[in-house]
Amino acid sequence: MTDTNEIVIDRVSESRLASTNFDDLVFGKTFTDHMLECNWRDGKWETTHIKPYGPIQVEPSCKVFHYGQAIFEGMKAYKDEAGDVFLFRPEDNWKRFNESAKRLAMPEVPYEVFVEGLKTLVNLDKGWVKYGEGLSLYLRPFMIASENGVAAAPSTEYKFMIVMSPAFAYYRGEVRVIIANQFSRAADGGVGYAKAAGNYAASFYPNNLAMEEGYQQIIWTDAASHEYIEEAGTMNIFVRIGDKLLTAPNNDRILNGITRRSVIQMAKDHGIEVEERRIRVSEIKEAAQNGELKEIFGSGTAAVIVPIKGFKHEDFKYELPVIENDYATNIKAALMDIQYNRTEDKHGWRVKI
């Protein structure tokens, strides 16, 4: 073992890199050689360890199983043509992670553990970051309540970890959605803005119902009235009506997406008018009927940008037109050029490992 910047590193004896088939990857199923772990006990963070990827041992009474204190982030590392590796806006993920932690009564993770630990881990396994369009290394920082006991109270112990998975594009094929008119993703005053594990668990059943109808995702609407769109599955949502790009505003029901913020800035850089405001479902349907609805697309770390090909709301069905010079394609290309170090990064988003 060696100590690097107060991070104890235990390297694998033999890497699995050479035996990994990168031409047959399933998203989130293959993991790199190492993982990071840091425990919070007695009111403080202990030494950060990087160790071989493998199982962790917890007891059946571990509080995460009983009261759901679990949060995570989604990030990516990219490799450029010269073989250099970059992160994309890691400090934003760290800040949002700690916002989630506060909402779930969990301790905030220090910069040295989250960001510097992440850089060290990625550098150690940078051979797993492959160069090529759509290729990346998906990074999953997460934290769970690790105290044993079934009393209904916040845990007194927590485990912060980072695991990493080589990835292609998350969504493949065409995506069509149902606009929700019954189920809700989040409610006012809740934890919708946090990347809490339970938010995603609650979405699986409605999404399964949508898939039974031949749709791949759900556009969530507000819980109070189901009149306004909010998110699309695991993504933030954008709607183009005419030449204007609309997206729902941040609130305590909607995740403050880092890719969303990047898309908004990229759009403005390209001279596109962007409005962050509440968007009625009826407004989208009306725009579809009069020919003003040009595009709908989702944005997120795993997917980057995913065009929506069609949607259903109650008895109304609509297929989006195929248009030239669409916003989704152009913004995604501009964003990926920054991520893969193919163009100037005037916003300072790219962080070299």
Side-chain angles (χ1 to χ4, degrees):
M1 292 187 180
T2 58
D3 193 306
T4 305
N5 296 328
E6 300 183 344
I7 299 174
V8 177
I9 300 176
D10 181 9
R11 296 175 182 267
V12 295
S13 57
E14 184 177 352
S15 174
R16 292 177 285 103
L17 184 58
S19 61
T20 300
N21 183 0
F22 283 85
D23 294 325
D24 190 30
L25 291 175
V26 176
F27 184 85
K29 288 290 188 179
T30 301
F31 293 90
T32 66
D33 290 319
H34 298 92
M35 63 185 186
L36 180 146
E37 180 178 353
C38 188
N39 293 302
W40 191 84
R41 295 188 184 97
D42 299 323
K44 64 180 183 298
W45 288 101
E46 299 178 345
T47 301
T48 301
H49 291 262
I50 291 177
K51 60 182 69 175
Y53 176 87
I56 59 173
Q57 188 171 8
V58 294
E59 295 186 17
S61 60
C62 185
K63 279 199 170 182
V64 67
F65 299 137
H66 302 274
Y67 302 111
Q69 279 184 291
I71 60 173
F72 67 92
E73 274 295 322
M75 311 169 64
K76 282 184 177 179
Y78 304 87
K79 182 171 284 185
D80 69 5
E81 192 174 8
D84 292 323
V85 175
F86 299 86
L87 301 178
F88 184 72
R89 306 186 70 168
E91 289 195 19
D92 291 284
N93 289 97
W94 166 62
K95 292 173 182 176
R96 188 174 66 182
F97 188 86
N98 282 337
E99 289 174 2
S100 299
K102 284 187 286 187
R103 181 60 183 85
L104 271 75
M106 305 171 84
E108 296 183 42
V109 177
Y111 179 94
E112 293 74 20
V113 176
F114 190 107
V115 179
E116 294 302 329
L118 181 65
K119 290 179 181 178
T120 303
L121 181 62
V122 172
N123 188 54
L124 185 62
D125 280 351
K126 64 182 178 182
W128 290 82
V129 192
K130 297 301 181 182
Y131 170 70
E133 193 71 14
L135 295 177
S136 63
L137 184 65
Y138 184 77
L139 318 174
R140 173 52 64 90
F142 65 98
M143 181 164 55
I144 62 171
S146 54
E147 180 192 2
N148 298 318
V150 295
S155 179
T156 61
E157 297 180 3
Y158 295 90
K159 186 182 295 293
F160 171 74
M161 300 189 70
I162 305 174
V163 296
M164 309 190 300
S165 175
F168 285 103
Y170 186 58
Y171 290 101
R172 297 183 183 181
E174 296 185 344
V175 175
R176 289 174 175 80
V177 300
I178 289 179
I179 299 178
N181 64 352
Q182 177 185 359
F183 296 102
S184 300
R185 177 187 173 275
D188 291 340
V191 297
Y193 71 93
K195 282 190 76 72
N199 288 343
Y200 297 81
S203 73
F204 294 156
Y205 174 67
N207 200 68
N208 283 346
L209 297 179
M211 292 177 69
E212 289 175 4
E213 292 191 51
Y215 294 85
Q216 287 72 46
Q217 279 290 355
I218 292 175
I219 291 183
W220 300 105
T221 50
D222 69 293
S225 67
H226 296 292
E227 291 182 9
Y228 300 91
I229 66 168
E230 300 208 318
E231 289 196 356
T234 58
M235 302 177 288
N236 292 116
I237 189 73
F238 288 85
V239 178
R240 176 184 174 185
I241 296 179
D243 291 330
K244 189 178 296 183
L245 194 59
L246 311 178
T247 189
N250 287 329
N251 55 46
D252 59 9
R253 302 183 305 276
I254 296 176
L255 184 71
N256 185 10
I258 293 164
T259 305
R260 171 190 177 275
R261 281 180 270 161
S262 304
V263 168
I264 291 171
Q265 186 60 59
M266 288 286 95
K268 291 179 178 178
D269 289 350
H270 284 74
I272 298 169
E273 183 180 357
V274 181
E275 283 190 8
E276 296 181 67
R277 64 168 175 83
R278 302 187 80 186
I279 308 166
R280 287 184 180 272
V281 177
S282 59
E283 180 182 1
I284 297 173
K285 292 164 72 172
E286 182 180 345
Q289 290 172 321
N290 65 27
E292 283 293 297
L293 180 63
K294 305 298 184 183
E295 298 177 67
I296 301 177
F297 58 87
S299 71
T301 297
V304 186
I305 288 178
V306 176
I308 305 299
K309 297 296 184 180
F311 71 88
K312 173 188 174 183
H313 179 254
E314 297 175 340
D315 295 328
F316 183 88
K317 295 182 180 180
Y318 184 75
E319 288 289 304
L320 274 294
V322 177
I323 59 176
E324 295 182 0
N325 201 32
D326 60 287
Y327 290 174
T329 300
N330 291 338
I331 293 173
K332 181 176 182 178
L335 193 53
M336 292 181 70
D337 280 346
I338 293 175
Q339 292 170 333
Y340 286 98
N341 193 30
R342 295 191 291 245
T343 191
E344 178 190 4
D345 175 22
K346 65 181 181 180
H347 300 294
W349 293 338
R350 198 166 51 221
V351 177
K352 186 177 180 180
I353 295 297

